Amino acid sequence: MEQENGNSKAKKKDSKLVKKIKQNMYKWHRKLGIITIIPVILWCLSGLMHPFMAHFFKPEIANEKLATTPIDKSQLHFSIQEVLQKNGISEFKNFRIVTFNNANFYQVKTVKGEFNYFNTLDAKPLANGDQKYAEWLSRYFLDDQKSGVKNSTLLTEFTSQYKYVNRYLPVYKLTFDRPDEMQIYVETSSSKLATFNPISRQVFIWFFDTFHNWSFVDAISNNSLRIIFMLFFLSIILFSALSGILIYGFLWKQFKKTDSLAPKKGLRRYHRQIGIWVSIFTITFGFSGAYHATTKWKPYTLSKMIYEPTLKSDEIKIATQSVLTDWNRLENMNLIRFNDSVYYRCQLIVKDKNPEVQEKWGKKKSPKSEIVYVNAITNKVYPKLDFEYAQFLSFYFSGDTPKASCCEVGGESESDSALEDAKLLKTKVLTEFESREYGFANKRLPVIKLAYDTPEKTTYFIETSTSRLAAVITNSNRLEGYSFAFLHKFLFMDWAGKNIRDFTMVLAALSVLLVCVLGLILFLKKK
């Protein structure tokens, strides 16, 4: 009998203790929720705009890339050596051949990083050639030869409208005098379209950047403070969601006892019932967002990772027209310095026997090409040197290759992993994006993938056509990438297709938004 009384007292004591904890937790849950209500609403609304823009307001453009055509050898009346000599140029960075306005030009990059254009028929320079080529490219991509150009600007840094996700720098930004106020961004050094923004997308970018990335903090402070603010609020959101799960999940019996005496109806009931199911989305969005924000501490330097030694005109003995290559398939050529020699890098067109109809932006494949190297002094052909050159560049960007004063890159290497003693596990030419590692956000194609056996399993992606580092991925990058892809962008739903995946993501964000609004109404009612 005494033992039963003792158990009864213990139960009552436990009940009071749990009730006390519950009451305090409930207060904290309400406080945490109200602190983060505005950030959550802004994040949800701006996040919802992403799939809406992708499906209902997706901008389209006539041409997303320049058509590949062989160089007309008969139009090369002057070799690159003769052009350089006639124009008094003894040193330069590189050259390639471009065609526009019914003429062919040598596009020569000077030691200062500027692009000069020389007609292949008479070797004469084209005034403001780079700007004219940028306009020609923009009109080609847009298929608009009539609209006037309101503004043309060379960007050497990313801006609030041209974000780092676009990768290409430097680029020309051209704004056309049209009802949609179209902005076209082109990289003249590769003849590529970087991105295009009509007014609808410009508004979306501003809204998303302001309320999802919190760029307004950058405007009044700096990037570090912006990240600290975001991590602070995301941490509170996670604690709020976890406390909600604990209160309405693990302490559900206590709430049932309280509800039986004073049943909770209407908004409070819906907030509780919906919240317990939606909390998983709040946690996944919050955790992956916070994890992703931690990667933004370091400044973006990938656009500066380029190998471009200074070349001398007398190092090139073989005239351009005399290069031993298949001119019927020659798409373009440029120069590289490798193994103490200078080579013509010739890119030959390969016809795809099985062309596929592919979606725009992200599903596109790069046209197949064959790369051949020709010694600029001996004219000897090296058909399989591209992989070796890519490996040299991976060593160069990792810091293992000694850098002469002529060959400095414009920033620190993206990787701290030494490759000198690492085994090369895998090499592969990528002509399309891989969603799990080298995704569409990396922009550049084709690239050569080199996977090394380092502690971090470092993988380099090299664009040999421009001697650039397209990306470098380590295990820590992969972990964060998978977290963001699966928990924030719902790529685990890819099996159902993009439409279903985006619809699921919209429902998840709307449910989180609904719980927040219900919580806010309840808070205001109690006041």
Side-chain angles (χ1 to χ4, degrees):
M1 189 75 177
E2 290 179 3
Q3 187 176 358
E4 289 181 6
N5 289 335
N7 290 337
S8 178
K9 288 179 180 179
K11 285 181 180 179
K12 288 181 180 178
K13 187 177 181 181
D14 289 342
S15 178
K16 289 180 180 179
L17 178 63
V18 171
K19 190 174 182 180
K20 187 72 173 176
I21 293 173
K22 185 202 73 173
Q23 289 173 346
N24 288 330
M25 285 188 64
Y26 179 68
K27 289 178 182 178
W28 277 109
H29 177 71
R30 291 179 70 242
K31 289 179 180 178
L32 290 174
I34 205 63
I35 289 172
T36 59
I37 190 71
I38 299 301
V40 171
I41 289 175
L42 292 177
W43 271 322
C44 286
L45 286 175
S46 55
L48 281 169
M49 286 190 69
H50 213 287
F52 271 110
M53 284 294 297
H55 289 279
F56 302 109
F57 304 100
K58 184 178 181 180
E60 293 185 354
I61 197 165
N63 302 294
E64 292 184 5
K65 58 175 56 180
L66 195 63
T68 55
T69 55
I71 293 172
D72 187 355
K73 186 179 179 180
S74 65
Q75 297 298 306
L76 306 183
H77 290 189
F78 287 84
S79 67
I80 183 62
Q81 299 93 323
E82 292 171 324
V83 167
L84 295 173
Q85 185 179 7
K86 281 182 173 293
N87 290 276
I89 300 172
S90 59
E91 294 183 336
F92 65 109
K93 290 291 185 181
N94 220 319
F95 89 97
R96 67 190 192 104
I97 301 169
V98 297
T99 302
F100 67 101
N101 291 338
N102 300 315
N104 292 279
F105 298 89
Y106 288 111
Q107 182 193 65
V108 179
K109 188 172 186 178
T110 69
V111 291
K112 294 181 179 180
E114 300 170 347
F115 289 100
N116 293 333
Y117 292 72
F118 303 95
N119 197 300
T120 60
L121 292 176
D122 55 20
K124 292 182 179 179
L126 176 67
N128 299 319
D130 207 35
Q131 192 170 19
K132 289 177 181 177
Y133 186 49
E135 181 177 340
W136 182 89
L137 284 172
S138 299
R139 292 188 182 280
Y140 173 86
F141 293 132
L142 199 55
D143 193 20
D144 184 348
Q145 304 300 323
K146 296 180 179 179
S147 299
V149 176
K150 293 172 65 177
N151 189 33
S152 178
T153 308
L154 178 64
L155 301 181
T156 57
E157 295 181 353
F158 296 109
T159 67
S160 59
Q161 278 290 314
Y162 186 72
K163 308 295 292 183
Y164 72 93
V165 72
N166 294 294
R167 296 298 194 269
Y168 298 112
L169 273 183
V171 295
Y172 274 91
K173 170 190 172 183
L174 288 93
T175 305
F176 284 84
D177 188 9
R178 299 169 19 137
D180 61 2
E181 299 183 29
M182 180 67 79
Q183 295 176 346
I184 304 289
Y185 297 82
V186 294
E187 184 184 56
T188 56
S189 63
S190 63
S191 304
K192 289 183 178 179
L193 172 66
T195 192
F196 59 100
N197 299 329
I199 187 64
S200 59
R201 186 167 175 80
Q202 293 170 39
V203 173
F204 161 72
I205 291 173
W206 175 86
F207 189 87
F208 190 84
D209 194 41
T210 302
F211 299 115
H212 208 84
N213 296 331
W214 289 19
S215 63
F216 62 88
V217 180
D218 269 342
I220 59 178
S221 182
N222 55 55
N223 181 60
S224 297
L225 191 60
R226 177 179 69 90
I227 295 171
I228 290 171
F229 274 141
M230 292 179 76
L231 291 175
F232 172 73
F233 282 106
L234 286 168
S235 299
I236 294 177
I237 289 169
L238 288 173
F239 281 122
S240 178
L242 290 171
S243 65
I245 292 174
L246 191 58
I247 292 169
Y248 297 119
F250 293 98
L251 299 178
W252 177 247
K253 290 183 179 180
Q254 284 298 121
F255 269 99
K256 284 190 72 174
K257 289 178 183 179
T258 306
D259 287 352
S260 64
L261 297 174
K264 303 294 186 294
K265 298 180 180 179
L267 295 178
R268 189 175 299 279
R269 180 182 177 186
Y270 290 128
H271 175 72
R272 185 183 69 212
Q273 291 179 344
I274 299 173
I276 195 68
W277 292 103
V278 169
S279 58
I280 185 65
F281 297 126
T282 307
I283 291 171
T284 56
F285 281 139
F287 171 77
S288 57
Y291 194 3
H292 189 64
T294 61
T295 66
K296 306 301 180 182
W297 291 109
K298 293 182 180 179
Y300 180 82
T301 59
L302 201 60
S303 61
K304 299 177 182 178
M305 303 304 288
I306 180 173
Y307 168 71
E308 45 181 9
T310 299
L311 302 170
K312 296 182 179 180
S313 57
D314 57 10
E315 290 182 282
I316 311 166
K317 302 299 182 183
I318 303 300
T320 314
Q321 308 92 318
S322 302
V323 174
L324 288 178
T325 190
D326 185 352
W327 284 87
N328 293 322
R329 296 192 294 132
L330 182 63
E331 178 188 350
N332 220 315
M333 62 168 59
N334 61 326
L335 294 167
I336 66 161
R337 186 194 296 280
F338 176 49
N339 289 341
D340 298 322
S341 297
V342 176
Y343 299 87
Y344 284 100
R345 182 187 182 277
C346 303
Q347 188 160 319
L348 309 178
I349 300 170
V350 176
K351 291 185 178 180
D352 193 345
K353 295 180 180 179
N354 299 304
E356 298 177 5
V357 178
Q358 299 154 342
E359 296 180 20
K360 294 183 178 182
W361 291 106
K363 297 296 182 183
K364 279 278 187 181
K365 288 185 179 179
S366 173
K368 291 184 178 179
S369 58
E370 177 186 347
I371 309 302
V372 174
Y373 286 65
V374 181
N375 192 292
I377 295 178
T378 65
N379 216 10
K380 185 178 179 180
V381 178
Y382 297 84
K384 297 181 179 180
L385 208 60
D386 210 35
F387 279 102
E388 291 184 37
Y389 183 55
Q391 188 173 8
F392 160 77
L393 289 176
S394 68
F395 274 65
Y396 175 78
F397 292 124
S398 74
D400 286 343
T401 303
K403 299 177 178 61
S405 59
C406 66
C407 314
E408 292 177 355
V409 292
E412 296 180 1
S413 171
E414 292 284 309
S415 172
D416 296 325
S417 302
L419 304 180
E420 188 175 359
D421 300 319
K423 181 182 178 182
L424 182 60
L425 298 176
K426 183 180 181 180
T427 60
K428 180 183 179 182
V429 177
L430 299 185
T431 57
E432 60 182 317
F433 297 107
E434 296 179 339
S435 60
R436 294 294 179 266
E437 192 169 40
Y438 189 77
F440 173 65
N442 293 289
K443 298 294 185 185
R444 297 185 180 276
L445 279 180
V447 295
I448 294 180
K449 173 182 177 179
L450 302 105
Y452 288 93
D453 187 17
T454 66
E456 277 284 299
K457 300 300 178 186
T458 308
T459 302
Y460 282 80
F461 297 87
I462 304 294
E463 187 182 48
T464 55
S465 62
T466 58
S467 301
R468 285 185 177 275
L469 176 63
V472 55
I473 308 295
T474 62
N475 280 342
S476 58
N477 302 134
R478 292 184 185 94
L479 183 61
E480 188 280 321
Y482 290 152
S483 163
F484 196 72
F486 283 90
L487 303 180
H488 211 87
K489 301 176 76 173
F490 282 28
L491 287 192
F492 63 86
M493 290 290 294
D494 267 357
W495 59 270
K498 188 176 187 297
N499 291 338
I500 299 298
R501 186 197 77 192
D502 286 352
F503 181 69
T504 305
M505 188 165 56
V506 166
L507 284 180
L510 281 174
S511 61
V512 174
L513 186 61
L514 177 61
V515 170
C516 290
V517 172
L518 289 175
L520 178 60
I521 294 172
L522 288 171
F523 180 83
L524 294 175
K525 273 192 171 186
K526 196 140 188 175
K527 286 290 183 181

